[in-house]
Amino acid sequence: MAVNLPLPIAANLKPVAGIELGFAEAGIRKANRKDLLVMKLAPTATVSGVFTKNRFCAAPVQVCKAHLEGVRLSGTPIQALVVNTGNANAGTGEAGLANANATCEALAALLGCAPSQILPFSTGVILEPLPVDRLKAGLPNAIANLNADNWYNAAEAIMTTDTQPKAASRTVTIAGKSVTLTGISKGAGMIKPNMATMLGYLAMDAKVVQPVLDHMVKAAADKSFNCITIDGDTSTNDSFMVIATGAGQLEVNDTTSPEYAELAAAVTSISQELAQMIVRDGEGATKFMTITVEEGRSVEECRQIAYSIGHSPLVKTAFYASDPNLGRILAAIGYAGIDDLDVSKLNLYLDDVWVAKNGGRNPEYKEEDGQRVMKQSEITIRVKLARGDAAATIWTCDFSHDYVSINADYRS
Amino acid sequence: MAVNLPLPIAANLKPVAGIELGFAEAGIRKANRKDLLVMKLAPTATVSGVFTKNRFCAAPVQVCKAHLEGVRLSGTPIQALVVNTGNANAGTGEAGLANANATCEALAALLGCAPSQILPFSTGVILEPLPVDRLKAGLPNAIANLNADNWYNAAEAIMTTDTQPKAASRTVTIAGKSVTLTGISKGAGMIKPNMATMLGYLAMDAKVVQPVLDHMVKAAADKSFNCITIDGDTSTNDSFMVIATGAGQLEVNDTTSPEYAELAAAVTSISQELAQMIVRDGEGATKFMTITVEEGRSVEECRQIAYSIGHSPLVKTAFYASDPNLGRILAAIGYAGIDDLDVSKLNLYLDDVWVAKNGGRNPEYKEEDGQRVMKQSEITIRVKLARGDAAATIWTCDFSHDYVSINADYRS
């Protein structure tokens, strides 16, 4: 029951020169489903990413960070990424680290590179040992079908409780040169600021030097994957990776060029699309909500209030019920932790409907107007703080019976 | 479907000398239900309380704070408390303040005291005008049945989505003198640290001077009403009030006396009982969970981790399903915001079952042992951080289909 989320059409997902994708059914947790993905990169590729800030970050996340640090020190490029679903390899201690390293070693042996040139990713159940033998046994099958046209299969291979694959693709022209960008993502619970059990992979055929790519990825994440929330849980495995294969025409070598600005805008835009897809397919979601907080003193306080609204189970259940019980939004603003907030100046809008004026109910507000907006599948909540000119936007979904069902039954 | 919450027996709720309670069906929101409560105090009484920290604190909360400040400045005692359900009088701006003041004026006129000697409380829907005329019309009826024996009726009169009235009573002997304590509370959503749409009233017949009572109330709240969470929402109206009527034998004049320590312990203990009742009757609750975090560097960090676990919808739905998907607890610990937490030393227990050892799955842990504990209606989650000797405990409940149903339908 995803909210206005079109199924990707395989033919519309453009191959990106310099990256091939292969998948397998390795039986990590369940039989007969794609659960293993290998992405093989051209030697010209640079890779950068952002990871969960969870202290219980998973073994593969720790290995990824170490290998990316190795790239920065040695310049030896990443050759492949490998993703398994069905098991998060998190909360698994030393054995988990050994399994993540064993995965890299196995794939490196097959590809003829060093284990440090592999980035491993896992998503699924926490606190259970990774069945690394089944994973390793699946690698040759994944390599056997490596193909630049496999983006749709790749999107399917990284799904967990997602109801459908998520992918986006576009071609832009920058300084007269064509750049193709294609990405995939998966959710769908444990989604919140600072990443989630959220995996996102975006490849483009531009050539981007490492420090410039690092800068671009962080900026894009802050305006996309770090602006979504489903249930306020931050997972142990969240990762968003951008790959610049260097196989295309455009080169970007510094952050001050016009080419940088245009490419960064394209990366941010497609990242937002991939991130919003995760919200649209949030566990049990029936509504897609945009929460914008304006006229704040800082972006930080605007985000804090937006997340306070977006995390409130009472707000989310009211939206599920299409019940304009909008005082719950005021309550969530009030406990967002902005100690000097003067609520008597605050205004609240639901789409075009002015609900609260100067901290109280707008005398012109009519319940039927609120009701009309609440029944829509896409709703914007806008809060004006009247204390500055900073603003922030996040995206979230409502909280339904199905969220409880899905999470109460996840492992069964 | 409250969790192990016995219905109070009216005969067991001891009257407290110096306080009378009267109730009415004022039709604030719905007809034919008790929705108005007046508590009339002896002139010897002192009153102290703690209130919500929500910036959108309701009009009656603002009036209460002003009137209590007036008591401290003038010494003129509080004469009565008045509580309505069905409407929170929050997010109502200047008109809401006028209505809260009008409530005080009406009751003061009937009792022959100053409006500043009245404390008003409201709970119910936010952002709707208080029907103050119906409230005022109900006051004479409430006064007509003022009686020291009305505690059970009072507990009923303050209910909103509570499934049953909550009350506790006991008599203690301190320094050879008898003290009777009787209290009532209501929840049941929007419950979280720093108070909730939670109202608690505790009366005792001891005589306690104002600054000593202030101290006692704050200490009791920090170990009771500020240690519970249901959905992480902090309401606009939460209040916990302690009334020392002064009509009994015991006098407490300073915080260093042995009498203070004994009385404070009794007040904290009955406050914990009243607060835990709110969790046991949490919206849709099927399990009562005690979360204890030990071996921390500070009480604050232990509370932070305990709340991170207690607020996680993923943890709460797993408990609802009796599914020992305990990695979700590790994830919640990891994103609690303790940046220097060394998870490789962390241990996790579910009652007597040692689940995670040194940050990974305990090799001795068997899923059936976790399963056995998860099926209980009362469960203790214990986390050992191995970095200090501070500890904290909170109480919470699970997250069920009924939570969504109740909150999606609250106003209908």
Side-chain angles (χ1 to χ4, degrees), chain A residues 67-79:
Chain A
H67 288 186
L68 285 171
E69 189 56 26
V71 170
R72 289 190 184 88
L73 294 171
S74 68
T76 316
I78 297 299
Q79 288 276 284

Side-chain angles (χ1 to χ4, degrees), chain A residues 86-396:
Chain A
N87 184 299
N89 193 8
T92 44
E94 288 301 320
L97 272 176
N99 283 337
N101 282 320
T103 302
C104 295
E105 283 156 21
L107 182 56
L110 291 167
L111 296 179
C113 66
S116 64
Q117 294 181 280
I118 308 291
L119 298 181
F121 303 86
S122 297
T123 178
V125 180
I126 304 171
L127 205 62
E128 293 192 2
L130 180 72
V132 70
D133 290 337
R134 294 206 289 278
L135 193 164
K136 288 197 287 191
L139 288 173
N141 293 333
I143 288 172
N145 65 28
L146 278 168
N147 194 300
D149 262 330
N150 262 339
W151 283 101
Y152 188 93
N153 287 313
E156 285 188 326
I158 64 172
M159 288 168 63
T160 52
T161 56
D162 307 69
T163 67
Q164 63 172 70
K166 299 169 186 67
S169 189
R170 61 181 77 168
T171 302
V172 294
T173 303
I174 296 173
K177 290 166 183 165
S178 170
V179 181
T180 298
L181 304 95
T182 300
I184 56 175
S185 64
K186 59 100 18 187
M190 262 202 195
I191 305 296
K192 120 144 202 177
N194 301 321
M195 318 301 294
T197 293
M198 194 281 313
L199 296 176
Y201 301 94
L202 173 59
M204 55 186 173
D205 54 9
K207 185 174 180 70
V208 186
V209 294
Q210 188 72 41
V212 172
L213 189 65
D214 292 346
H215 195 268
M216 194 180 288
V217 171
K218 202 184 165 321
D222 282 346
K223 294 198 168 178
S224 59
F225 290 99
N226 280 340
C227 296
I228 59 176
T229 182
I230 289 176
D231 53 17
D233 277 276
T234 303
S235 109
T236 49
N237 293 59
D238 313 322
S239 309
F240 168 54
M241 309 300 297
V242 178
I243 299 152
T245 65
Q249 306 164 316
L250 185 72
E251 276 196 44
V252 179
N253 296 314
D254 68 86
T255 58
T256 58
S257 62
E259 290 85 353
Y260 174 85
E262 285 186 53
L263 187 61
V267 167
T268 297
S269 168
I270 197 168
S271 299
Q272 285 176 341
E273 195 178 339
L274 290 168
Q276 289 179 13
M277 283 176 179
I278 292 175
V279 175
R280 291 181 185 283
D281 198 19
E283 287 172 346
T286 74
K287 306 256 170 103
F288 179 81
M289 285 131 70
T290 300
I291 305 174
T292 295
V293 178
E294 301 171 353
E295 301 179 356
R297 288 211 186 128
S298 67
V299 171
E300 195 34 59
E301 76 173 26
C302 293
R303 282 176 68 90
Q304 207 171 324
I305 289 172
Y307 274 116
S308 188
I309 299 169
H311 287 157
S312 162
L314 288 170
V315 170
K316 292 160 95 79
T317 48
F319 275 80
Y320 169 54
S322 300
D323 176 7
N325 193 343
L326 302 171
R328 291 178 177 179
I329 298 177
L330 297 190
I333 296 167
Y335 66 68
I338 315 298
D339 286 341
D340 61 356
L341 184 67
D342 180 356
V343 299
S344 75
K345 294 185 175 159
L346 190 142
N347 291 291
L348 170 68
Y349 302 78
L350 210 61
D351 276 14
D352 56 329
V353 177
W354 193 350
V355 176
K357 184 175 179 175
N358 297 328
R361 187 189 176 105
N362 176 6
E364 313 285 304
Y365 170 68
K366 290 188 202 69
E367 178 117 352
E368 56 262 38
D369 293 334
Q371 183 72 65
R372 171 177 55 79
V373 178
M374 291 294 276
K375 284 184 174 159
Q376 300 166 184
S377 60
E378 310 242 343
I379 301 168
T380 297
I381 298 166
R382 201 156 100 253
V383 180
K384 294 192 172 191
L385 301 177
R387 56 194 249 127
D389 53 11
T393 294
I394 70 161
W395 302 283
T396 190

